[in-house]
Amino acid sequence: MNYGEYARQVGVRATHLKLLDRGSPAHLRHAVEHPDDSDTPTRVWLRAVHALALEPAAFRREYSVFEGRRTGKLFKAHRDSHPGTNVLNRREYDSAVAIVEALYRHPLASPLLCGSSGESEHNLSWTDLRTQLPCIARLDRWLPDLRVVVDLKTVGSTAAWTIERMTSQLGWDLQMAHYVAGAEVSEPGAGVLAFLLVVEAKPPHDVAVYRLAPALMLRAAQRRGELLDWIAECNHSGRWPGRFDVQQTLELPAWAPPEIGAEDLDEDLDEEAP
């Protein structure tokens, strides 16, 4: 099953959970009913890195390299001779190759990517037992012998504090909790471990492997359960509200600057006057 076929399936996916967690049922409903089909060179390049690292055969089918600018008659001729492909320029292709070579050289990352028993872009579909909601997931890598789920991320820095911040802000822990839940239901057996495989987009393309701690995964699984309950409630009621149904009180956070008096404002205006 390619990504297009996967995307047409009906079911709660990690993206939905992250949208709901950061927004509201209204945001989720809008995103589902109005999917973002826009594309950018950056999105194409990130998908190319994934394909080259995880599915080289698919990369050869779905991507082509054009030496010049993506305009003009020569580019049109290239597109005509490579129908249906995503076109990379030479710089984008060379960068993707360098990233994948760095991944394959890394002593911890390489076995996760190249293990003979592993499956790339592994599709799962299951029913959540408590809410009876259909769920789907597409795992970057599934290693059934090790009971390990791997997600590949291209990042600015592999530093621990950066990955911790991005995991919190972008909901990577929630995403991995969804993947683990799907693997445990669809592939019964021992508990499933979650790993983030991160590689820097710029040279030297540093690589790191992070295992998500049990406490982090437990908290994410609990939050996932709350979000699934919320979706089930919205399905039942037919109501998909925004963030707040009642008046909110705004307080200044602890890090806010001290109160600015009128005299301070006057001084600032005097200083800025010509």
Side-chain angles (χ1 to χ4, degrees):
M1 184 186 300
N2 60 35
Y3 181 79
E5 294 168 331
Y6 162 78
R8 287 191 290 271
Q9 289 184 295
V10 175
V12 178
R13 60 191 72 177
T15 302
H16 297 161
L17 297 173
K18 291 191 286 186
L19 277 169
L20 181 57
D21 191 43
R22 295 196 301 266
S24 71
H27 293 86
L28 173 57
R29 182 71 176 268
H30 178 81
V32 170
E33 294 181 346
H34 304 85
D36 181 8
D37 295 326
S38 62
D39 219 347
T40 65
T42 299
R43 287 183 178 181
V44 172
W45 179 76
L46 288 171
R47 292 199 304 269
V49 171
H50 262 68
L52 189 58
L54 300 169
E55 293 186 302
F59 177 86
R60 290 190 290 271
R61 291 193 307 269
E62 299 171 8
Y63 294 86
S64 61
V65 181
F66 181 65
E67 298 293 342
R69 298 178 61 187
R70 284 177 283 230
T71 58
K73 294 181 179 179
L74 290 178
F75 177 67
K76 183 179 183 302
H78 175 90
R79 293 299 303 263
D80 292 343
S81 61
H82 298 80
T85 63
N86 297 287
V87 181
L88 305 176
N89 62 33
R90 173 56 61 178
R91 178 184 57 81
E92 291 167 338
Y93 173 74
D94 289 345
S95 179
V97 169
I99 286 174
V100 173
E101 288 177 344
L103 288 167
Y104 286 169
R105 286 195 303 267
H106 193 273
L108 298 178
S110 183
L112 295 176
L113 288 174
C114 305
S116 58
S117 66
E119 302 174 31
S120 295
E121 304 295 2
H122 183 67
N123 297 291
L124 297 175
S125 60
W126 72 101
T127 300
D128 180 67
L129 296 179
R130 189 175 71 255
T131 63
Q132 292 300 297
L133 289 171
C135 297
I136 60 174
R138 186 172 172 88
L139 316 183
D140 282 353
R141 286 285 287 175
W142 166 239
L143 285 72
D145 291 349
L146 300 177
R147 306 288 294 170
V148 165
V149 170
V150 180
D151 198 65
L152 174 61
K153 304 290 189 187
T154 304
V155 298
S157 170
T158 58
W161 69 269
T162 301
I163 303 305
E164 290 168 356
R165 175 177 54 82
M166 295 181 75
T167 297
S168 175
Q169 292 182 346
L170 302 179
W172 290 352
D173 53 339
L174 187 59
Q175 174 186 350
M176 297 305 283
H178 189 64
Y179 291 174
V180 166
E184 290 179 339
V185 172
S186 305
E187 311 276 354
V192 175
L193 304 178
F195 285 81
L196 288 176
L197 174 51
V198 297
V199 57
E200 292 179 353
K202 295 182 179 180
H205 305 302
D206 192 30
V207 176
V209 176
Y210 285 94
R211 176 189 169 188
L212 277 70
L216 175 61
M217 291 300 296
L218 177 60
R219 185 180 65 184
Q222 292 171 341
R223 180 56 177 163
R224 174 181 174 271
E226 294 169 355
L227 295 171
L228 288 174
D229 289 342
W230 202 359
I231 294 174
E233 178 184 337
C234 291
N235 280 334
H236 178 72
S237 67
R239 293 186 63 255
W240 296 81
R243 286 189 178 94
F244 308 118
D245 282 343
V246 297
Q247 175 180 290
Q248 303 297 304
T249 300
L250 183 65
E251 300 282 356
L252 287 179
W255 48 261
E259 181 178 354
I260 298 177
E263 65 280 4
D264 298 321
L265 183 58
D266 290 341
E267 290 177 2
D268 290 342
L269 291 174
D270 290 340
E271 290 176 359
E272 293 177 4

